[in-house]
Amino acid sequence: MAAPGLGHALDISGTAPTPFARLVRVELRKAYDTRSGLWLLISTAALTALVMVIQLAVGATQEDVSLTYNSFLTSTNFSIAILLPVIGILLLTSEWSQRTAMVSFSLEPRRPHVILAKLTVGLLLAVAAVVIALVLAALCNVVYGVVSSDPVVWNLEIDRLGGFLLLQVIGMLTGFAFAALLLNSPAAIVVYMVYTFVLPGLFGLGAALMDWFSKIQPWIDFNYAQGPLVDASMTGKDWAHFAVSGFIWLVVPLAIGVWRVLRAEVK
């Protein structure tokens, strides 16, 4: 019974829960409704286009360089890998850096649904990046056929496309995992950059100097294990390397990070 003078208590027991599709739409809007988010998305597409244009210019001016559709698409692995995971990081850490987590988890107390919605948006953006790369690669391949004497070659096989898509999804998930683990945008971005550009060099140096380390490198170096995905040359042993190293660098950080988000005190 409501206290005298305060009116009737608000009964929300019959209110339907927030649909998951609505949560996904909200999280997707969060990805581009700020200046930083919008320009990060634009920069990712622009950098991908710039890499292809440079490659097109080199191929058109150098007679000993022959380009194909797959050549243009493969060149975008690096450009997309730089910025796409940063988007995945900001999808989660922005709630804490902008102090909106309390609002989000108050409006939707089911934290697993919010995390899953953010993860879904990250995967959708990864797929969108792949689609944009496919379109830009097609345009550059057509232009290359016009400005050069080489024939236009459309040589993208389904296994190469699957590997390209898997690489972008892994990059997004890795950024998301570091974000959940640290809940801090600068720290997560720095850790991801070290993991992507510094750690492979250290692993390679260790493998070159120590024979025993070269034997275990494929099992503990996730970046190394993803190499065969680029040219679709994965074997059974490669998939084993991929699974073990992926468990170390992706599954474990993601599981610990999600557990932390579910239990973190929101201020």
Side-chain angles (χ1 to χ4, degrees):
M1 183 177 297
L6 297 180
H8 296 288
L10 180 61
D11 183 9
I12 60 173
S13 59
T15 304
T18 305
F20 182 73
R22 184 183 302 168
L23 293 177
V24 173
R25 289 197 301 270
V26 170
E27 296 301 332
L28 181 60
R29 187 172 67 246
K30 289 180 182 179
Y32 64 81
D33 66 355
T34 62
R35 293 181 182 177
S36 59
L38 178 61
W39 280 106
L40 187 57
L41 293 173
I42 294 175
S43 298
T44 303
L47 183 59
T48 302
L50 179 61
V51 170
M52 290 189 186
V53 169
I54 294 175
Q55 187 180 21
L56 175 62
V58 173
T61 56
Q62 301 292 330
E63 295 182 358
D64 58 338
V65 177
S66 180
L67 300 176
T68 65
Y69 180 75
N70 188 61
S71 301
F72 287 108
L73 189 63
T74 303
S75 66
T76 64
N77 273 316
F78 178 76
S79 59
I80 296 178
I82 294 177
L83 296 179
L84 189 61
V86 176
I87 298 175
I89 290 173
L90 296 180
L91 282 173
L92 189 59
T93 58
S94 60
E95 295 282 5
W96 274 262
S97 61
Q98 299 176 12
R99 299 184 181 276
T100 59
M102 181 173 291
V103 177
S104 296
F105 293 141
S106 296
L107 294 175
E108 178 48 78
R110 300 173 300 174
R111 292 193 189 186
H113 287 68
V114 177
I115 298 173
L116 185 58
K118 292 178 179 293
L119 187 58
T120 301
V121 170
L123 297 178
L124 290 175
L125 291 176
V127 173
V130 171
V131 172
I132 293 174
L134 290 172
V135 173
L136 292 176
L139 293 175
C140 288
N141 200 35
V142 171
V143 174
Y144 176 73
V146 174
V147 300
S148 70
S149 58
D150 296 330
V152 177
V153 179
W154 304 93
N155 60 339
L156 181 63
E157 298 87 3
I158 188 64
D159 53 347
R160 288 182 180 270
L161 177 60
F164 180 72
L165 175 60
L166 184 57
L167 283 172
Q168 312 318 320
V169 169
I170 290 172
M172 174 66 76
L173 291 177
T174 304
F176 194 88
F178 288 150
L181 193 62
L182 300 172
L183 294 181
N184 181 279
S185 300
I189 292 173
V190 169
V191 169
Y192 178 79
M193 292 302 173
V194 171
Y195 158 80
T196 303
F197 300 108
V198 178
L199 202 59
L202 296 178
F203 277 136
L205 180 61
L209 297 177
M210 297 171 286
D211 182 64
W212 64 268
F213 190 81
S214 65
K215 296 178 181 179
I216 68 171
Q217 181 189 8
W219 300 98
I220 62 174
D221 187 350
F222 196 29
N223 286 295
Y224 182 90
Q226 295 175 54
L229 284 174
V230 177
D231 56 2
S233 61
M234 295 286 285
T235 64
K237 191 173 184 179
D238 292 330
W239 283 114
H241 296 159
F242 178 85
V244 173
S245 59
F247 180 81
I248 296 172
W249 290 102
L250 179 58
V251 177
V252 172
L254 184 60
I256 297 175
V258 170
W259 175 82
R260 183 187 180 191
V261 173
L262 294 178
R263 297 178 61 88
E265 180 183 0
V266 181
K267 300 179 180 179

